[in-house]
Amino acid sequence: MVIETEQIPFHEWILWASLNWLLVVAALAVTGLFLSSLIAVVRHGPARGLELTFRVVGSSFADLFCMSPRRVWALTWLAIKDSLRRRVVIVFVLFLILLLFAGWFLDPGSDHPLRLYISFVLTSTSYLVLLLMLFLSAFSLPADLKSKTLHTVVTKPVRPSEIVLGRMLGFILLGTFLLVLMGAMSYVFVARGLAHTHEVIPSSLKVVQPGDDAAKGDVPLKGKSTSVNNHRHDVALDRKGRGRLEMTQDHFHRVIRRKQGDKTVYEVGQPEGMRIARVPVYGKLRFMDSQRQEKEAGTNVGDEWSYRSYIEGGSLAAGVWSFEGVTPEQFPERLQVEMTLGVFRTWKGDIEQGIAGVLLLRNPKTGLTVEAKIFPAREFSTDVHQIARKLTPETVYYLKREEDSDGLVKKVKYVREEITGHRKSQYDLFDDLTDDGRLEIWLQCLDPNQYLGVAQADMYLRARDASFALNFMKGYFGIWMQMVLVVGFGVMFSTFLSGSVAMIATVGMLIGGFFRAFMIKLAMGETYGGGPVESFIRLLTQDNVVSDLPAGLRTTVAQTTDAVLQKGLLVVAKLLPPLREFDCAGYVAYGFNISADWIAEQGLTTLSFAVALFVVGYFFLKTREVAK
Amino acid sequence: MPDDVIIEARNLTKVYRDFWGRQKVRALKALDLEVRRGEIFGLLGPNGSGKTTTIKLILGLLFPTSGQVLCFGRDATDVTKNERIGYLPEESYLYKFLSAEETLDFYGRLFKMSRRVRRQRTADLIDQVGLTRAKKRQLREYSKGMTRRIGLAQALINDPELILLDEPTTGLDPLGTRDMKQMILDLREQGKTVVMCSHRLDDVQDVCDRIAILYEGELKELGRVDSLLKVHDVTEIHVRKLNEKAQQEIRQIIDREHGELVSMGNPTTTLERLFLDIIAESELHPGRRVRGAKDA
C-alpha cells in the first residue's frame, strides 16, 4: 500500500486549518450578506430591503445561540421516528442478507483474504448507509413542507435553527446506530470468515538434521499442513514440539505436539498475524546527491508519477529519514524497519537478485554512522528489516555536517571521517546511535546505474501493534464522517430545494468532494496542459501537454481567462468536502493503524463542515416562507 | 399598541409572485385590523378572499409584501410570541405515524413544560376532545372528525392566550360542529382570545363577537356581529300560544299605526336544530322513531 498523503501532526495542522476555516467562513458570511441584501433590495426597495436584512441578521444570533436542547431533542426524536416509519431497518436486513451470501463470491483462498473481506464490508456498509442517508436527509423536510406538517411545528416557539439541527442530529443518530450494528456484524463476519485451522500431515514431517532419525521427535522437523481455504503451510517444529505453520496468505498458525497415550497429535491454532494494526513511525525525508550534499529531491528518472524521487546507485547519493521518538519504550526488543521501494533500472541486470541497497544508522548529534544492513530491494513488496539493539557492524565512521555559504545560498554537506583511536566492537542502538530519541536512517543504492525510488512514507519504523478491533472501528468512523457530511448537505439543500433536486445537489457535492484534490491541483496550475481554456485549445490543436503554446494574443487571452476561472475553481474546490481523505478502508485492509492525529483532524474537519452546513441551512429556512 | 390589543395589522399587503418575481395574485390589500383581548374575532369571506393569508401572516408562515402585523406587540416573525399562541390549521397537518398521545407529547415538548405537566395536560386534552379510547391509535387510522379534534387539542396544549382557528368546523358533522362551537365559546369564558376564519356564515354568527368581512383581499366590513346584523327598521316579536283573535287584533294595531306587516305565522326551526334534537332524543330513547313518520 502506498500512502501518498503525508500525515501532518495535529498540533501543526490545527493552526493552519483553523485559519483556513475562519477565512472561508468569513468569506462565506460576507458573500452571503452581500447577496441576500442585494436580493432584498431588489425585491423590497432599498430601505425595506436593508431593514429586513439587518432584522434577519440580528435575530439570527438569538436563533443560533439560544437554542433549546429540549426542543432540539424533540425534533431529533421526530426525525428518528419518521425515519423508522419509512422502514430504514430494511437497510440493515439487506446488509445481513449481503453478509449471508457474501461467502459465495468472497474467496478466503485469495492471496490477501483480509483485504478482500475488509474492503467488502466497508464498501457495502458505506454504500448502503450513505444512500439511505442521502434519501432520508434530502426528502424529509420537503415532505414535511408538502404535507404542511411543518406548519404546525413552526407555529410553536421553535426556531428554524432548531428544526435544521434536530433533523441533522436525528439522521446522524440513526445512521450511527445502523453503523454500530453493521460494524459489529461485519467484525463477526470477518472473524468467522477467516477463521480456520489445518492439520499437520505427520508423514510429511522430515528431520532437518540428517542422521538423527533415531531421535525423531526431539529434533527440528519440517513438513506440510493440509490444505484449507485453497492454501497450505510449511510446518516447522522445534525440539520441544513447538512451532508454527509458516506465513502464507498473510498469516501463520501456532502448532504444538502432544502425546495422547500412544498417539502423537498436533494441535494447530487459529490464524495469527493477519488481523493487525501496524503503528508506523514516519520520519522526515531529505536527499543527498552524489557529493553528499543536501538537496530538495533525488534524481528525476522521468516517471510521470512524481510521487517518488530516485537515489542514484553506486554513488554517495542517499535518501535520509530523520525519526523522532526512537526510544527503548517504543521499540523494546528491536527496531523493525519496513520499506516499500520503487526500482528504476537503466539496464536489466539480475531480475531475481533485486537491486542492492544499504541502510546506515546515524546519530544526528555525534554523526556516528554504522552500516546496519545490506539488502536486495524487491519491487511491489514490503521489505522488512530487523535491526537488533546491539549492533556489531563491519563499517563504522562519522558523517560530519558541514555548512558552506556563497553569500546567498546555504549549502549543507556531509563529510566522512574515520574513527581514530578506540573503536568499539559492539554499538548500542539507543546509547550510541540516537540522540534524545532522534535517529537518522540513510538509504543508499549499491548497484551502479540503477536507482531506488523513495518517498517519505515509503519507510517507517514499526512500533508495537495497536488493536485491530479498534482500528476496525476507526474504519467505520471514516464512514461515519462521510455520513455526517451527506446528512449535512442533504438537510441544507432540502431547506430550499425540492426533495429530488436536493438529492441531486447533494450527490453533486459528493462527487465534487471526491475530486476535490484534483480540482485544487487544477486551480493551482499544477496539472499539465494549463487551465480549462488552454487545455481545450490543446485538444483542438492536438498540442503536447508539456510544450508551451505559441506566444500570441490567443494564448494570452486563454491564459488570462484560465487565471480567472482557476480562482473561481479554487473557491469552489475549497468549499467541497475532502471526502477521499475520510476513506480509511485501505488503512484497515492493509493493516495500518489509523492514527489519533488522523481521527482528530478528520473529525474536526467533519465538525466544521457540519457546523457551516447547519448555519447555511438555517439561513435558508429562516428566510423562506414556510406556507408558500 | 394598547394593552388590550392582541393583534394589530397595519397596511398589511401580500402579493404572491412566481419564481421570476412577477406578480401572480394580490391576496391582501392594505388591511388594517385590531383584535382585542378576550373576544372571538371572525374573518369572513368567500374562498380566495384572503382569510387564510391573514392568519398565516399573523403566524409568520408568510412574510408581508408591505405593512406590518404585530402579535402581542412583537413582529410576526418573532417565534417567541408563539409561546402564547395556539393554531389549528385548515386541515389538521399532523404526523400520521404518531398516536394522539405521542402527538400531544411531542408538541408539548416544544414548550417550556415539565414532563409531569405535559402528561397531565395531554391526558386532560385527550379527555376533553373525547379521544380517550383512541389515544394509542396512530392518527392515520383516525376519521376526519377525530383528526380535527386532536388538531384542536394540539392547538391548546400550551394553554394559549390566543387561538387561531382556520375553518374550525370543516369536515365535522353537526354534532362535532356543535361541540367545536361550544368549545370556542368555552375558550372565551376562560378569557382566551380566538381568531377564526370561516366561510360558513352560521358558524361565525353563532360564536363571534366581532367580524371582518373580506372580499378579494380587501376589508369590506368590520364591527360587532350583533350591530352589523341588526335590522333597525324591523321589529320581531315571538309569542307562544297566541289565538287567532289576538293575532287579528295585532294586525289591526299595525294598520292603525301605519306599520307594514312583513310576515306572521309559525316559524320553522333550522335543520341543524332539528338534527340535534333528534340525536338527543335518540340517545334518551334508543330504538324509537321519534317523529315525522306521518309526514314521510
Side-chain angles (χ1 to χ4, degrees), chain A residues 284-288 294-295 318-320 322 414 440 442:
Chain A
K284 291 244 184 253
L285 174 64
R286 65 187 198 277
F287 288 91
M288 302 292 156
E294 264 186 20
K295 58 178 193 170
V320 181
S322 304
Y414 290 82
E440 280 183 6
W442 291 50

Side-chain angles (χ1 to χ4, degrees), chain B residues 12 14 25-31 33 42-54 198-199 201 211-222:
Chain B
L12 193 62
K14 179 66 191 174
V25 63
R26 203 173 184 83
L28 211 56
K29 299 168 189 168
L31 177 71
L33 200 70
L43 286 166
L44 201 62
N47 290 337
S49 58
K51 306 182 299 287
T52 301
T53 299
T54 307
S198 179
H199 55 260
L201 309 180
I211 56 167
I213 299 175
L214 298 171
Y215 183 72
E216 293 189 344
E218 282 185 280
L219 181 66
K220 296 293 182 186
E221 193 66 74
L222 175 70

Side-chain angles (χ1 to χ4, degrees), chain A residues 587-609:
Chain A
Y587 284 89
V588 185
Y590 282 77
F592 283 94
N593 182 48
I594 298 165
S595 70
D597 281 353
W598 184 91
I599 296 282
E601 288 166 21
Q602 306 308 340
L604 263 180
T605 306
T606 308
L607 184 69
S608 56
F609 263 95

Side-chain angles (χ1 to χ4, degrees), chain A residues 178-476:
Chain A
L178 276 176
L179 275 178
V180 168
L181 279 182
M182 289 160 103
M185 292 301 301
S186 300
Y187 190 81
V188 173
F189 170 74
V190 171
R192 285 178 60 92
L194 298 177
H196 68 278
T197 183
H198 299 258
E199 285 177 16
V200 174
I201 304 171
S203 59
S204 71
L205 291 171
K206 298 278 186 280
V207 178
V208 177
Q209 295 162 329
D212 277 351
D213 260 3
K216 194 169 180 178
D218 293 316
V219 294
L221 296 171
K222 285 208 167 183
K224 290 280 182 193
S225 75
T226 52
S227 176
V228 177
N229 287 352
N230 291 340
H231 71 279
R232 64 172 76 235
H233 296 259
D234 289 333
V235 181
L237 289 171
D238 66 10
R239 289 172 189 279
K240 291 179 180 170
R242 292 171 188 279
R244 49 190 241 170
L245 274 57
E246 297 293 5
M247 193 68 105
T248 305
Q249 289 188 349
D250 298 337
H251 72 278
F252 66 90
H253 301 259
R254 290 184 202 279
V255 59
I256 187 162
R257 185 178 58 214
R258 292 192 193 283
K259 287 274 183 196
Q260 284 185 354
D262 299 341
K263 286 165 66 179
T264 303
V265 291
Y266 297 92
E267 289 178 4
V268 180
Q270 285 296 320
E272 291 181 44
M274 186 154 40
R275 286 183 280 152
I276 53 168
R278 298 183 193 93
V279 180
V281 176
Y282 291 101
K284 291 244 184 253
L285 174 64
R286 65 187 198 277
F287 288 91
M288 302 292 156
D289 65 11
S290 55
Q291 308 298 314
R292 278 213 196 96
Q293 186 171 307
E294 264 186 20
K295 58 178 193 170
E296 279 185 11
T299 307
N300 183 352
V301 295
D303 190 348
E304 282 179 16
W305 189 36
S306 55
Y307 170 65
R308 288 199 170 99
S309 213
Y310 285 78
I311 303 165
E312 187 187 345
S315 76
L316 297 177
V320 181
W321 282 264
S322 304
F323 293 96
E324 290 184 358
V326 184
T327 57
E329 293 76 36
Q330 188 81 324
F331 302 92
E333 291 167 15
R334 65 183 75 81
L335 199 63
Q336 183 161 321
V337 182
E338 297 194 0
M339 292 185 295
T340 311
L341 302 177
V343 170
F344 180 77
R345 295 166 185 265
T346 57
W347 57 288
K348 189 177 169 188
D350 186 351
I351 291 289
E352 292 292 321
Q353 194 62 38
I355 302 293
V358 61
L359 288 178
L360 309 173
L361 306 184
R362 176 178 179 270
N363 185 324
K365 189 177 180 187
T366 62
L368 181 70
T369 304
V370 302
E371 195 178 283
K373 200 119 187 173
I374 294 176
F375 64 95
R378 289 189 299 270
E379 246 181 312
F380 311 118
S381 67
T382 304
D383 291 311
V384 180
H385 303 289
Q386 310 281 355
I387 296 174
R389 179 164 180 172
K390 299 289 180 193
L391 294 154
T392 46
E394 287 182 11
T395 314
V396 186
Y397 49 87
Y398 286 102
L399 277 177
K400 294 286 187 186
R401 187 173 189 275
E402 286 182 2
E403 281 188 19
D404 183 25
S405 174
D406 58 3
L408 288 171
V409 182
K410 188 175 78 174
K411 289 180 181 172
V412 177
K413 200 173 177 181
Y414 290 82
V415 179
R416 176 170 173 160
E417 281 181 18
E418 298 303 329
I419 293 176
T420 53
H422 175 68
R423 180 188 181 281
K424 293 202 298 194
S425 60
Q426 196 172 57
Y427 289 90
D428 185 275
L429 180 67
F430 298 107
D431 296 341
D432 298 317
L433 293 165
T434 63
D435 169 48
D436 199 19
R438 294 187 303 131
L439 168 73
E440 280 183 6
I441 300 185
W442 291 50
L443 171 70
Q444 290 181 331
C445 178
L446 296 177
D447 285 347
N449 299 325
Q450 309 286 40
Y451 293 82
L452 289 178
V454 293
Q456 185 155 289
D458 278 348
M459 181 193 284
Y460 58 85
L461 306 179
R462 184 168 165 186
R464 194 175 291 168
D465 283 354
S467 153
F468 173 77
L470 196 63
N471 210 34
F472 190 77
M473 277 172 61
K474 291 175 191 170
Y476 270 79

Side-chain angles (χ1 to χ4, degrees), chain B residues 192-209:
Chain B
K192 315 283 186 199
T193 308
V194 179
V195 175
M196 60 180 277
C197 72
S198 179
H199 55 260
R200 290 180 58 171
L201 309 180
D202 51 340
D203 290 352
V204 176
Q205 185 182 348
D206 288 349
V207 297
C208 288
D209 302 313

Side-chain angles (χ1 to χ4, degrees), chain A residues 553-586:
Chain A
L553 182 66
R554 188 189 66 176
T555 305
T556 310
V557 170
Q559 288 176 345
T560 311
T561 315
D562 275 346
V564 176
L565 288 175
Q566 281 170 324
K567 288 276 180 289
L569 191 64
L570 187 64
V571 172
V572 172
K574 288 274 181 188
L575 293 177
L576 293 170
L579 280 180
R580 204 178 280 274
E581 289 173 28
F582 295 150
D583 183 10
C584 50

Side-chain angles (χ1 to χ4, degrees), chain B residues 45-76:
Chain B
N47 290 337
S49 58
K51 306 182 299 287
T52 301
T53 299
T54 307
I55 287 207
K56 285 177 177 173
L57 285 164
I58 294 169
L59 287 163
L61 290 169
L62 292 172
F63 305 147
T65 308
S66 64
Q68 193 182 23
V69 58
L70 297 176
C71 193
F72 295 108
R74 293 177 192 168
D75 189 81

Side-chain angles (χ1 to χ4, degrees), chain A residues 56-70:
Chain A
V56 167
V57 172
S59 61
S60 66
F61 286 100
D63 283 345
L64 291 172
F65 298 107
C66 302
M67 284 186 285
S68 152
R70 188 189 62 255

